[in-house]
Amino acid sequence: MSNSIEIPKIDNIETIVEKIKSKELKVLDLVIEHLERAKLVQEKTNSFITILEDQALANAKELDLQIEKGEVDIESKPLLGIPFTAKDLYLVKDTKTTFGTKLMENFVAPYTSTVVQKCLDAGAILIAKANLDPFGYGSSGESSGYGPTKNPYDLERVPGGSSSGSGASIAAGVGLFSLGTDTGGSVRLPASFCGVYALKPTYGHNSRYGVGVYASSFDTPGFFSRHPEDIKLLEDVMKGRDENDATTYEIDHLEIKNNKTIGLPREFFTEDLNPEIKDKINQKVELLKSNGYEIKEISIPSLKYALAAYYVLVMAETSSNRARYDAVRYGEKISDDYEENMSGGRAQFFEDEVKRRIMVGTYVLSAGYGDQYYQKASIVRTKLKKEFDEAFKEVDVIISPIANETAFKIEEKSSDPVSMYLTDIYTVTANVVGIPALAIPAGMSLEGLPIGMQLIGKKFHEDQLVDVAKVVR
Ligand code: GLN
């Protein structure tokens, strides 16, 4: 068995939609092709928890029929016939949704999340639910209750997490885009390790309604694709005010000044940065310079506290969000005895990482410790927001690494949670501050593994990140 799988070239979404509109391509043929690939990729990478074959085939046939009869307004469907996958945190009505944990193995969602619904309304066809670290807890995909996902570039390595199946499968050519979520880097890290694009939008741009919660003030529905122009197309479909999520905004007229100043935070580009990664990022920076961008070194002094503050705040939020997964309201029932059921259900079905986070979160919030941990971390969050506001007075976009390494070996870090958490050092800040960040491929390592970098922007300036990405592709 070869140790990697083929990374196929894939057209961008608009090109494929045009072929469907002109009837050069049938939706059913496209969906069959992607389902077949999904099955092959599943065998080698374990990217999926459920492949929705029957449902996808039926929807594709129905859509072809509607197109044939002229019953569908094709101009209002920017994702007409496009097969996609979604991390198994997204609720889809009448479909199994596990959140990556064994506790929810038999949960069937009663309604569909807003973001998935918007994709379906735009004409897309859901073909699979992707593997993930339970509730989004992880950086490698290894904590999933459904087995680790493998990186298509090297099947002995992780694809990055927590949206592990989304990252691995989009690289391996399954679907034209994949929905993931990003609480502290979970679309950007897999994008970096698998050589694809992924957007973590501004907090509040995309609705969290119907998306399994990790940490409410950090969670951001994001997504993966193969081309920067797809990113813009998809974000335009997904974003916007949702009456079911009070933290969403509708931004109608945003004046984006087309300034071309890029900031490199001194705190990120240190001696400790892996030289190969630094080198690839520098090459992109040089490319930007030759395209008229001005590059400035900036300083964001509180960056050094971001990771610590992040892990205190998300653990606190998540321990309270997990309270209802008690094997009574949600989760597998194991006993008719109330107390035995409540403690035993979680003991038996929750993965170790889920238990760890509930315990740490409960600890940092417990009487006497709130001031020491939660309060302090909240102060860091406020400081970081101010420092980024200041930085964005000087520059339009900030460039940063995504990780200080390429995809690591399966089991290399899984027994050492702190080293796993350290993987997120460059990604968590965008979530702490609530600003958008786009992961883009920066090149390949000597070992043949993808290297990514991220473009971080002002609130609601996702389009500006895409513009920069197009310059350096
Ligand atoms: N790896 C980070 C964590 O475990 C981020 C996860 C995420 O973005 N869902 O918290």
Side-chain angles (χ1 to χ4, degrees):
M1 188 174 112
S2 105
N3 214 21
S4 60
I5 52 180
E6 183 216 357
I7 306 293
K9 285 224 172 340
I10 298 271
D11 281 336
N12 68 27
I13 292 176
E14 203 185 335
T15 308
I16 297 180
V17 168
E18 283 309 317
K19 285 188 186 164
I20 293 172
K21 280 188 190 166
S22 66
K23 301 195 182 145
E24 187 186 324
L25 179 63
K26 275 207 168 329
V27 177
L28 185 60
D29 292 336
L30 181 66
V31 166
I32 289 174
E33 180 195 329
H34 281 266
L35 280 169
E36 290 311 313
R37 199 176 297 145
K39 288 187 255 177
L40 287 176
V41 167
Q42 173 63 5
E43 260 175 45
K44 299 205 168 174
T45 65
N46 193 30
S47 284
F48 304 112
I49 293 177
T50 316
I51 296 182
L52 300 163
E53 184 161 13
D54 295 346
Q55 183 180 315
L57 290 174
N59 291 338
K61 278 184 203 153
E62 168 82 22
L63 187 56
D64 272 332
L65 211 64
Q66 287 175 347
I67 296 172
E68 198 52 52
K69 289 189 185 159
E71 285 172 1
V72 49
D73 174 15
I74 53 178
E75 295 314 320
S76 71
K77 307 246 178 246
L79 303 178
L80 187 71
I82 294 299
F84 76 107
T85 64
K87 186 179 191 176
D88 208 16
L89 267 186
Y90 283 84
L91 303 196
V92 179
K93 189 172 166 38
D94 297 334
T95 302
K96 184 171 111 160
T97 304
T98 67
F99 308 89
T101 173
K102 281 286 178 189
L103 188 90
M104 299 294 280
E105 188 163 15
N106 300 314
F107 178 70
V108 174
Y111 62 94
T112 298
S113 56
T114 300
V115 164
V116 168
Q117 192 59 52
K118 284 186 169 186
C119 295
L120 299 176
D121 291 345
I125 303 224
L126 181 66
I127 62 168
K129 302 291 297 291
N131 202 355
L132 69 156
D133 287 303
F135 300 112
Y137 300 159
S139 311
S140 68
E142 292 166 284
S143 346
S144 168
Y146 302 85
T149 312
K150 293 165 191 157
N151 190 313
Y153 280 89
D154 178 347
L155 299 170
E156 282 169 15
R157 292 176 187 270
V158 304
S162 68
S163 312
S164 55
S166 296
S169 63
I170 207 77
V174 181
L176 275 295
F177 68 99
S178 183
L179 301 178
T181 61
D182 193 310
T183 302
S186 279
V187 300
R188 287 164 286 154
L189 192 61
S192 178
F193 285 3
C194 297
V196 295
Y197 291 84
L199 178 68
K200 172 244 174 274
T202 307
Y203 179 81
H205 222 177
N206 295 11
S207 169
R208 291 177 291 116
Y209 179 67
V211 186
V213 58
Y214 169 176
S216 315
S217 75
F218 293 77
D219 293 346
T220 319
F223 52 87
F224 298 79
S225 82
R226 300 286 291 266
H227 303 278
E229 49 278 2
D230 291 352
I231 296 280
K232 171 158 171 52
L233 178 75
L234 291 163
E235 181 57 6
D236 284 346
V237 166
M238 286 180 225
K239 70 186 181 189
R241 168 98 189 121
D242 176 8
E243 62 178 23
N244 291 315
D245 176 356
T247 60
T248 49
Y249 302 75
E250 192 73 55
I251 304 290
D252 285 337
H253 298 290
L254 189 69
E255 234 186 90
I256 295 189
K257 291 201 201 81
N258 219 4
N259 296 337
K260 291 179 153 185
T261 312
I262 306 263
L264 302 178
R266 184 178 309 148
E267 292 77 6
F268 277 162
F269 291 91
T270 62
E271 293 289 281
D272 299 332
L273 182 60
N274 175 324
E276 217 182 356
I277 293 176
K278 193 188 254 174
D279 188 48
K280 292 290 175 216
I281 297 179
N282 278 341
Q283 287 175 17
K284 297 293 185 193
V285 168
E286 288 305 317
L287 195 54
L288 285 166
K289 272 192 202 161
S290 60
N291 276 278
Y293 284 81
E294 186 193 340
I295 311 294
K296 263 193 185 171
E297 190 187 79
I298 55 170
S299 173
I300 302 179
S302 302
L303 276 178
K304 54 181 175 294
Y305 306 118
L307 188 74
Y310 167 82
Y311 270 106
V312 168
L313 294 170
V314 295
M315 299 258 189
E317 287 189 20
T318 214
S319 67
S320 96
N321 279 330
R322 281 299 72 83
R324 62 186 185 269
Y325 296 79
D326 55 6
V328 178
R329 284 163 290 188
Y330 290 103
E332 291 297 305
K333 184 173 166 190
I334 58 153
S335 163
D336 287 330
D337 178 77
Y338 182 77
E339 277 173 30
E340 195 177 284
N341 185 53
M342 198 183 250
S343 61
R346 285 183 285 182
Q348 188 174 327
F349 293 112
F350 267 159
E351 293 70 23
D352 287 350
E353 191 56 33
V354 181
K355 292 175 186 162
R356 183 177 296 122
R357 294 195 183 212
I358 293 173
M359 287 194 289
V360 175
T362 311
Y363 177 81
V364 299
L365 288 176
S366 55
Y369 291 107
D371 289 354
Q372 202 174 330
Y373 296 112
Y374 190 81
Q375 296 276 84
K376 276 212 173 125
S378 302
I379 291 170
V380 171
R381 190 173 203 183
T382 307
K383 280 193 80 153
L384 274 166
K385 285 184 183 174
K386 287 194 183 138
E387 289 174 16
F388 270 88
D389 282 347
E390 285 305 309
F392 281 127
K393 285 182 190 157
E394 274 186 70
V395 300
D396 305 292
V397 170
I398 294 173
I399 286 183
S400 136
I402 291 176
N404 204 12
E405 61 204 317
T406 50
F408 48 88
K409 287 255 166 73
I410 291 174
E411 286 183 7
E412 194 177 315
K413 300 189 184 194
S414 49
S415 58
D416 180 356
V418 173
S419 82
M420 189 69 90
Y421 300 163
L422 281 168
T423 313
D424 306 328
I425 193 137
Y426 299 106
T427 51
V428 295
T429 311
N431 305 72
V432 172
V433 179
I435 47 183
L438 176 63
I440 66 173
M444 300 295 281
S445 72
L446 284 174
E447 266 184 306
L449 295 168
I451 293 174
M453 61 186 254
Q454 62 180 331
L455 308 170
I456 304 173
K458 298 175 190 167
K459 278 194 179 167
F460 305 111
H461 283 57
E462 284 81 355
D463 286 357
Q464 202 170 21
L465 304 182
V466 172
D467 289 342
V468 176
K470 284 184 186 161
V471 174
V472 296
R473 81 162 103 202

